[in-house]
Amino acid sequence: AMGRAGRRLPALAALFYGALAALALLGVRDVLFLYEENRCSMTYMYEYPEYLKIKLPKKTAKRYPAYELYLYGEGNYAEENKNLLLTGIPVLFLPGNAGSYKQVRSLGSIALRKAEDVDFKYHFNFFSVNFNEELVALYGGSLQQQTKFVHECIKVILKLYRDREFAPTSVAIVGHSMGGLVARALLTLKNFKPELINLLITQATPHVAPVMPLDKYLTDFYTAVNNHWILKAQDLRNLTTLSVAGGFRDYQVRSGLAFLPRLSQHDSALSVVSSAVPRAWASTDHLSIVWCKELVLATIRAFFDLIDENTRQITEDPKKRMSVLNHHFVRHPAKIFEENPEAFTELTGAFMWITVKASKWTYSLYNDSDGKYFTFPLASHRKSYSHVYCENSMLDTSSWIYGCVNSNSSMCLEATDLSWRAELLPTTKVVILKLQDYPSLSHIVIQVPPTVGNKYTLDCEFFKEDSRTVQLPVTHLFSFGLSSSKILLNSTGLLYNVQLQHFNQIYQAFKIYIESHCQSLKERKPSVYRLHIPWSHEDSIIVAKVPSFTEISAKLHIAQPENDSRIPELNIYSSSDCQYEVILKTSLLQVLGQIIRFHAGSLPAYIVSNILLTYGGQLSTLISTGQCSDFSLELVRTAKPYKVEPLISIVVFLQGFNWFREIWQSLSLPEVDAAVLSSRDAWFPLVSLILFLFGTGIAYWSGVFFSTSLRLFSSLWLTLIRPTVPQKDKLITPRRLCGVLSLALVSWTTCGAFAVFIIYLQYLFKPVHVFVASVFYFQDSDHSKETSQNSSIHTVKNQSSMDSISEATQSLSNSTIAEAVNSLKMHVTILNLFTWIVLLNLPSLIYWLKNLRYNVRLDPDPCRSTAIIIVCILEILMNSSTSEVKSSKLLKIAAKVPLPLSVAMLAFGRMHLYKVPHFVIFSLLLHVLCCIV
């Protein structure tokens, strides 16, 4: 019975951890694959694109040999600019992580077409920087160098316009991904003049924090930039900044990271998600945000509206710049931008005036040769209704709705243009007016101009706000989609606002199903559903046929701020004779996706923490039983969240008190990562437990995969090569010392990660060698025993002596094999730990290999000093065995240290992954001392 129970335990553990790993994979699948289809159109060039290399000063070219500056052009425009007699407005494009300078072509080409439309009265010169496609999102050592090079480029660009009639004094910058962060970093340079930039547009730039904090240079760069923008916010009022995020299609940079830090938000900063941008309404992936035609058109239209007619450059007025950006990226009224539209206008034209007294009105027209004015007297509606709603399916840019301020009995003499209050939607333009806000208006006037060949519909209705606003409480997180909230909208209105109560956290995710039923089968205009998030510009819009069944995903990029009590809404722009049923359910799959989306970057810390706990457990069993337990069994026994999580939670709780914070700071301890995430509203109580369990599941199956691969590779090795019995040797020999010195020299003169990778590959063969040698030794001992027994049959003399020798030989072989198995288990765990160290240092190795032709030595190197320590540790550990460790006086200490190190790793390593190897190195350094002392 005990044997069956013992066999059942690993099976149950495998099933449990398999389920955990499967849940993590489901979350990854939701992030990587389950998002809306690409609704962007590709941008095409009308002529062959050309990139003219700009000659840089010799000093700059020598200091930055890998970087270049280009001017974009096409056809005749490119030919005319080869002599660099430029007269346009300079715009500098900065590519991001592994980005190409050629990505500027979408902006440059459409800007050129737009300039042709205005006969080159205004035009833009698009420059682009070649950063050699460096991996700056993973290695931060070159970010400062890129920033300084961009400063030199700005000075070179402005010199090209010297002595021109309308010479620019500043440059507009468009930065994609990390290019946007480099542009913000310009303001941290000591000798940089802020007036050199007046407009900054960033595309999918992670402003808040790095996606993967893999080295100290990266996190320090972020800290310096964000602190400068917070402390010097008043000095940045003349710089207008727009950050555009990609939405849920961009799984590389989640949109929450692309929102400019809240403390630096001032009147000249704006953050939007591409799904909320008017006339785009599409989520973009990390690359398509550069070439998405709808988004590029919005950007170029904004550029041309920003031009000052007097200076023929981008306006110096920050208020106008923000007005233009709001017009094109937040709320588009379906009108061409005007800086100061006329307050009042006269309604002219020989149009027929028709009075409409009904509270609801619809008018359809096609090929109508007579213009009309429809007037709605407000006096009769003010007592019964609070709002008026009008929509127009003609998506032109002319004015169409007015508020009458002076009228006679038959017509309106003077009116204010209410078209500026309209909002453009994919199939219609709508106006919602609160009657109380317009006490001076006597009538609402709808203008219907003569139409030829156009068919469109106008609708207006007066309503009470309470009758069109309904509350829909969202389902609880732990309902797992089994329960639902439901509401039926059965009135005949044109607009409904469904308030999603208690929907305010990033870990919430829902599926909303909207089913429309209509009374007749006549053709109708499509319905528009908008998920409106009031505290950030991250709305999403879906157009659906009527009748239809539509599914909408509801989840947040930004959690609700503490001082904001507004409620997210589902706006339904409906058909008047249709019913709408709205059903809301929690989506477990998308909840998992949100956890992965927001916290996948910290999963390596949780995985390594689990392996480190297992390693400590193996040392403990080595003390208690003299045997090293198996990795998967020890993981089940040792890796428990209650050993780690409570202490971190207590510290985070206490940091809410000033006295504890003061003590903490007096000890010069860094802030706990969970407290920082909580301050950014990216943390919730159970997330750490869930991530720990995910880490346990991944660690378990990675261990199984590692062990299985080892056995398969060893079996293959055994069939090809007959190994020799390993001989016991000293831990430190002259040959090994030379190897350590050689790798230390490699680390110091080239790249630390390269030295770590070499010693890792060398260590990788150690478990294989031990496994093969132990199998061979076992087979060889069996063969010797068999030979001994055969000899004893033919020889009767000295029988008792032969039995003694046989027993001694068998005892010796069993103990040798047991020792080899123990050493093998320990080597596998150590190798598992160092696999993650190599993975975390891999980006700097890739960066070094890519830039090897420019510099043999990686400078700065994030792991140069740690690499030397790692080389020394691995060189000793790969030649050690558990027999040396068991007799050490330090073993008890070495077995207890992994637990506090695991706690510290999760406390300080989640947002600083480069700290994770330090905790592992410290633990294994004690292991090395156990081998020596």
Side-chain angles (χ1 to χ4, degrees), residues 366-368 451-455:
Y366 178 68
N367 282 341
D368 193 345
T451 58
V452 178
N454 291 322
K455 183 179 180 180

Side-chain angles (χ1 to χ4, degrees), residues 48 50 52 72-83:
Y48 189 78
E50 295 184 35
L52 178 64
Y72 178 80
E74 293 179 18
N76 293 332
Y77 171 77
E79 289 294 325
E80 292 170 0
N81 287 332
K82 281 187 176 179
N83 56 8

Side-chain angles (χ1 to χ4, degrees), residues 743 746-747 750-761 841 844-845 848-849 858 861 863 867 871:
L743 287 176
V746 168
S747 174
T750 58
C751 173
F754 183 50
V756 171
F757 188 67
I758 292 172
I759 194 72
Y760 172 76
L761 290 178
N841 288 317
S844 62
L845 175 61
W848 173 74
L849 290 171
L858 179 63
D861 190 342
C863 60
V871 166

Side-chain angles (χ1 to χ4, degrees), residues 354-415:
I354 302 173
T355 301
V356 179
K357 295 183 179 180
S359 61
K360 188 173 181 180
W361 169 81
T362 298
Y363 185 76
S364 299
L365 66 160
Y366 178 68
N367 282 341
D368 193 345
S369 59
D370 298 324
K372 299 179 179 66
Y373 285 120
F374 291 91
T375 64
F376 300 80
L378 297 181
S380 59
H381 295 300
R382 288 187 184 276
K383 292 182 181 180
S384 303
Y385 305 103
S386 62
H387 290 71
V388 60
Y389 168 83
C390 292
E391 62 182 24
N392 185 351
S393 63
M394 174 61 78
L395 302 182
D396 60 356
T397 58
S398 58
S399 296
W400 60 283
I401 183 168
Y402 302 90
C404 187
V405 294
N406 185 10
S407 63
N408 57 25
S409 58
S410 61
M411 59 186 295
C412 181
L413 302 176
E414 191 177 30

Side-chain angles (χ1 to χ4, degrees), residues 531-817:
L531 182 63
H532 175 59
I533 310 301
W535 56 80
S536 62
H537 303 296
E538 55 175 284
D539 294 6
S540 56
I541 292 179
I542 291 178
V543 179
K545 295 180 179 179
V546 179
S548 66
F549 183 82
T550 307
E551 179 183 314
I552 300 174
S553 293
K555 45 196 174 186
L556 298 174
H557 297 292
I558 298 286
Q560 185 179 31
E562 290 183 4
N563 56 353
D564 197 317
S565 59
R566 291 174 292 178
I567 301 173
E569 291 182 340
L570 175 66
N571 305 135
I572 300 177
Y573 300 91
S574 58
S575 294
S576 58
D577 59 342
C578 295
Q579 291 183 341
Y580 292 82
E581 185 179 29
V582 181
I583 302 172
L584 183 145
K585 292 182 178 181
T586 297
S587 173
L588 177 62
L589 184 63
Q590 293 187 56
V591 169
L592 294 172
Q594 286 292 83
I595 293 172
I596 296 298
R597 178 175 287 108
F598 279 80
H599 301 291
S602 60
L603 264 179
Y606 284 92
I607 297 168
V608 178
S609 175
N610 275 277
I611 299 172
L612 196 59
L613 286 171
T614 306
Y615 164 75
Q618 286 179 316
L619 292 180
S620 297
T621 56
L622 200 61
I623 295 171
S624 59
T625 65
Q627 304 293 323
C628 183
S629 56
D630 187 69
F631 176 84
S632 55
L633 291 175
E634 194 59 43
L635 181 76
V636 173
R637 189 181 72 84
T638 313
K640 305 295 184 183
Y642 61 77
K643 295 181 178 181
V644 177
E645 293 300 325
L647 184 60
I648 299 175
S649 300
I650 291 169
V651 172
V652 172
F653 173 75
L654 290 175
Q655 282 194 334
F657 299 97
N658 290 330
W659 61 268
F660 185 82
R661 259 200 318 271
E662 290 173 2
I663 295 173
W664 191 268
Q665 290 170 0
S666 66
L667 296 172
S668 299
L669 292 172
E671 195 171 3
V672 177
D673 288 349
V676 178
L677 290 169
S678 181
S679 67
R680 296 177 184 169
D681 298 321
W683 198 252
F684 59 96
L686 290 177
V687 69
S688 190
L689 174 63
I690 294 169
L691 290 172
F692 188 93
L693 292 174
F694 282 175
T696 310
I698 295 169
Y700 180 89
W701 284 104
S702 66
V704 171
F705 174 78
F706 214 82
S707 300
T708 306
S709 302
L710 176 67
R711 287 187 174 88
L712 290 174
F713 189 70
S714 301
S715 301
L716 180 64
W717 187 274
L718 193 62
T719 57
L720 297 176
I721 299 172
R722 182 178 176 82
T724 58
V725 178
Q727 300 295 323
K728 190 66 178 175
D729 201 357
K730 292 181 179 180
L731 285 175
I732 302 173
T733 63
R735 183 180 176 184
R736 290 169 187 165
L737 194 59
C738 288
V740 169
L741 292 174
S742 300
L743 287 176
L745 186 64
V746 168
S747 174
W748 194 259
T749 57
T750 58
C751 173
F754 183 50
V756 171
F757 188 67
I758 292 172
I759 194 72
Y760 172 76
L761 290 178
Q762 189 179 345
Y763 195 1
L764 199 59
F765 285 95
K766 180 64 180 179
V768 175
H769 182 66
V770 172
F771 182 83
V772 170
S774 61
V775 171
F776 171 72
Y777 192 86
F778 177 75
Q779 292 174 347
D780 194 53
S781 64
D782 280 356
H783 178 70
S784 300
K785 180 182 175 184
E786 191 176 329
T787 305
S788 165
Q789 288 174 347
N790 290 336
S791 299
S792 66
I793 294 171
H794 300 288
T795 307
V796 182
K797 296 178 180 180
N798 300 324
Q799 184 65 42
S800 59
S801 176
M802 292 296 296
D803 289 343
S804 300
I805 293 171
S806 178
E807 288 174 6
T809 304
Q810 184 178 357
S811 175
L812 180 64
S813 63
N814 288 340
S815 63
T816 305
I817 292 169

